[in-house]
């Protein structure tokens, strides 16, 4: 007889057990037709197999990993290995922990934490390839272990962090932790913007918006924990690689319009106010746009607003503190100019009558139909622009 015990990740005490008397093959995974079913998102549908193999006059158990996220045996990542009595099996880094026991008798005791010397890892590794734990922790903020600084600005610092408590995941363990600078915390407007981003993200659910996880105050500083998106922002991408094709630029702006249509149709409508290439991230997994930085979001109203927005991308009425949902559409048009030319939109701003219009007629790669879409989206008069993100998207589809 063999037994498997699902262990509490902190106390290492049993939570559930399975016993097998004459079975020679035990399948473990998320699919309901496994012998041991673990409904954890980090576990593959068919994650691993335990098989009894006869060698001479004795039999031994053998483990075979079939899971995408790997299997750790006594703290070491394995593909295939023999399994000894009382071995500890972890399905994926930070996933469920099982104890394997032969001829079980009575209750099992809690096990001590396994130690690893983290040997054999490359210099750039964040996690140990043997035990799956972080190699270097810069600091601890509540349950979040800070692994690396991602960026620093006037408002605060952004970290790559590891949530050590999420072993059977409520959300992924690797995330972004934004810390508000202590000096900025003394400024009422800065506090408002930081808190607004947290409230907005908590209320929105869209694949093109980072997922909200947590917001808290620690040692006089505010922190926001949110989804980590692997990718590159459009500003850096174009500066490194040059202008993109019209087809690609349109595809990305259609995805941006989808996010804008979602926030513009909230009750009350929300205006992003800071659409620009640096706030549009291309997610590496599917080449889709994720809209970042919701600290400037404002509910649609007639009340004057503080001037927020990047020069060249902010609409004239937004410069005057009177943003509309059409102000975000203006920024989409200006972003298209940047994507297609690699130049700041300012270069194409020409005076026409009493106002300034973008003129991209000299750019040979921009076809007349697409040029007309850009010109209408960036018209200095809001009522002459597209009325909604959905209408702008339809025009962009026709210009492909």
């Amino acid at each position: 007889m063999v037994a498997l015990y699902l262990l509490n990740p902190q106390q290492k005490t049993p939570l559930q057990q399975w016993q097998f008397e004459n079975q020679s093959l035990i399948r473990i995974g998320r699919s309901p037709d496994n012998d041991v079913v673990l409904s954890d998102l980090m576990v593959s549908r068919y994650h691993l197999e335990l098989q009894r193999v006869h060698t001479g006059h004795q039999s031994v158990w053998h483990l075979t990993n079939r899971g995408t996220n790997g299997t750790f045996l006594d703290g070491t990542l394995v593909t295939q290995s023999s399994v000894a009595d009382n071995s500890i099996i972890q399905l994926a880094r930070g996933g469920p922990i099982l104890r394997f026991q032969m001829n079980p008798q009575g209750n099992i005791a809690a096990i001590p934490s396994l130690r690893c010397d983290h040997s054999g890892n490359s210099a750039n590794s964040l996690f140990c390839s043997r035990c799956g734990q972080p190699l270097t922790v810069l600091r601890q903020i509540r349950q979040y272990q800070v692994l690396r600084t991602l960026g620093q600005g006037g408002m605060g610092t952004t970290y790559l962090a590891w949530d050590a408590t999420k072993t059977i995941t409520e959300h992924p363990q690797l995330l972004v932790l934004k810390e508000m600078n202590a000096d900025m915390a003394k400024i009422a407007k800065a506090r408002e913007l930081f808190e607004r981003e947290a409230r907005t993200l908590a209320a929105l659910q869209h694949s093109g918006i980072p997922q909200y996880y947590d917001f808290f105050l620690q040692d006089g500083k505010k922190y926001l924990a949110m989804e980590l998106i692997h990718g590159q922002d459009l500003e850096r991408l174009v500066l490194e690689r040059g202008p993109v094709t019209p087809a690609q630029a349109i595809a990305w702006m259609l995805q941006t319009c989808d996010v804008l249509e979602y926030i513009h149709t909230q009750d009350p409508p929300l205006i992003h106010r800071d659409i620009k290439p640096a706030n549009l991230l291309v997610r590496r997994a599917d080449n889709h746009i994720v809209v970042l930085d919701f600290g400037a979001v404002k509910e649609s109203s007639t009340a004057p607003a503080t001037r927020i927005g990047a020069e060249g991308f902010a609409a004239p009425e937004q410069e005057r503190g009177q943003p509309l949902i059409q102000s975000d559409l203006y920024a989409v048009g200006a972003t298209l100019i940047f994507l297609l030319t690699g130049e700041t939109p300012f270069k194409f701003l020409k005076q026409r009558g009493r106002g300034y219009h973008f003129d991209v007629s000299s750019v040979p790669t921009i076809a007349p139909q697409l040029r007309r879409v850009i010109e209408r989206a960036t018209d200095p008069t809001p009522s002459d622009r597209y009325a909604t993100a959905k209408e702008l998207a339809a025009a962009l589809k026709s210009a492909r």
Side-chain angles (χ1 to χ4, degrees):
M1 176 186 292
V2 297
L4 287 165
Y5 301 87
L6 177 65
L7 301 183
N8 179 295
Q10 276 77 43
Q11 287 79 31
K12 303 298 188 292
T13 51
L15 297 173
Q16 188 176 352
Q17 73 174 43
W18 298 263
Q19 290 191 347
F20 304 92
E21 290 196 17
N22 300 312
Q23 206 157 328
S24 59
L25 178 64
I26 302 171
R27 295 184 304 166
I28 304 171
R30 204 174 69 247
S31 178
D33 58 344
N34 285 286
D35 301 295
V36 175
V37 179
L38 299 171
S39 56
D40 187 295
L41 293 178
M42 298 183 73
V43 176
S44 297
R45 294 182 70 246
Y46 300 99
H47 198 103
L48 69 91
E49 293 178 354
L50 292 170
Q51 186 170 16
R52 184 165 53 193
V53 179
H54 294 281
T55 58
H57 298 291
Q58 62 178 357
S59 62
V60 296
W61 283 88
H62 193 268
L63 181 152
T64 302
N65 170 66
R66 303 194 183 281
T68 303
N69 294 325
T71 299
F72 296 86
L73 180 63
D74 292 328
T76 300
L77 182 65
V78 298
T79 302
Q80 292 188 345
S81 177
S82 58
V83 185
D85 189 23
N86 290 320
S87 290
I88 301 301
I89 302 169
Q90 185 170 34
L91 288 75
R93 177 188 295 141
I97 302 171
L98 298 171
R99 182 170 183 173
F100 175 84
Q101 194 171 56
M102 292 191 250
N103 302 315
Q105 296 179 358
N107 296 325
I108 65 170
I111 61 170
S113 298
L114 297 171
R115 293 186 177 182
C116 175
D117 60 8
H118 299 325
S119 61
N121 293 286
S122 64
N124 296 325
S125 295
L126 285 173
F127 299 93
C128 179
S129 60
R130 299 180 62 207
C131 70
Q133 296 303 303
L135 291 170
T136 303
V137 177
L138 302 180
R139 54 189 285 214
Q140 181 97 17
I141 305 170
R142 284 200 176 178
Q143 76 265 32
Y144 303 106
Q145 298 175 347
V146 175
L147 309 182
R148 182 177 292 170
T149 300
L150 296 177
Q152 196 161 11
M155 183 73 73
T157 305
T158 304
Y159 301 109
L160 178 66
W162 172 259
D163 186 348
T165 67
K166 302 299 179 187
T167 48
I168 298 180
T169 57
E170 297 173 20
H171 61 69
Q173 289 181 287
L174 201 58
L175 47 82
V176 169
L177 187 65
K178 295 181 72 171
E179 174 189 69
M180 188 176 190
N181 285 343
D183 291 343
M184 297 302 293
K186 300 174 184 177
I187 303 173
K189 190 60 183 179
R191 290 199 308 271
E192 178 191 343
L193 293 176
F194 198 85
E195 292 168 5
R196 182 185 297 168
E197 181 172 20
R199 288 196 307 270
T200 302
L201 290 178
L204 300 177
Q205 291 291 329
H206 190 286
S207 62
I209 298 174
Q211 188 176 349
Y212 164 93
Y213 295 145
D214 195 8
F215 182 68
F216 60 92
L217 178 68
Q218 180 79 17
D219 298 328
K221 293 184 180 180
K222 288 181 173 20
Y223 293 89
L224 169 62
M226 56 195 291
E227 179 185 7
L228 171 66
I229 309 293
H230 296 281
Q232 188 175 34
D233 68 71
L234 291 182
E235 181 180 66
R236 183 174 299 178
L237 186 148
V238 170
L239 291 177
E240 290 182 0
R241 306 181 192 176
V244 304
T245 65
Q248 180 62 85
I250 290 173
W252 283 334
M253 290 306 96
L254 285 172
Q255 295 157 14
T256 304
C257 284
D258 185 63
V259 177
L260 291 177
E261 181 69 15
Y262 172 73
I263 69 171
H264 290 169
T265 53
Q266 296 296 303
D267 186 17
L270 300 176
I271 308 168
H272 187 279
R273 293 202 297 169
D274 202 15
I275 295 296
K276 59 184 179 181
N279 282 340
L280 301 176
L281 190 79
V282 181
R283 185 164 47 213
R284 189 177 299 122
D286 56 9
N287 196 39
H288 273 59
I289 290 292
V290 178
V291 179
L292 306 179
D293 197 352
F294 281 75
V297 163
K298 185 183 184 300
E299 293 181 0
S300 177
S301 70
T302 57
T306 304
R307 183 202 173 281
I308 290 177
E311 291 186 341
F313 298 93
E317 70 278 2
Q318 187 169 317
E319 297 271 6
R320 298 190 296 267
Q322 298 173 323
L324 304 166
I325 62 171
Q326 289 84 2
S327 307
D328 286 342
L329 309 186
Y330 181 101
V332 170
T335 298
L336 269 169
I337 295 173
F338 174 78
L339 294 177
L340 295 168
T341 66
E343 303 275 1
T344 173
F346 264 132
K347 180 178 177 179
F348 303 93
L349 201 59
K350 310 291 183 184
Q351 187 170 9
R352 187 188 304 166
R354 295 183 178 181
Y356 285 84
H357 297 249
F358 287 116
D359 183 359
V360 291
S361 57
S362 61
V363 183
T365 56
I366 302 180
Q369 189 172 358
L370 180 56
R371 183 176 70 244
R372 288 192 292 271
V373 173
I374 293 172
E375 289 174 349
R376 182 175 173 186
T378 59
D379 193 286
T381 304
S383 59
D384 290 336
R385 296 179 207 148
Y386 298 99
T388 65
K390 188 174 183 179
E391 186 181 349
L392 172 55
L396 286 170
K397 289 178 182 177
S398 299
R400 285 189 292 192

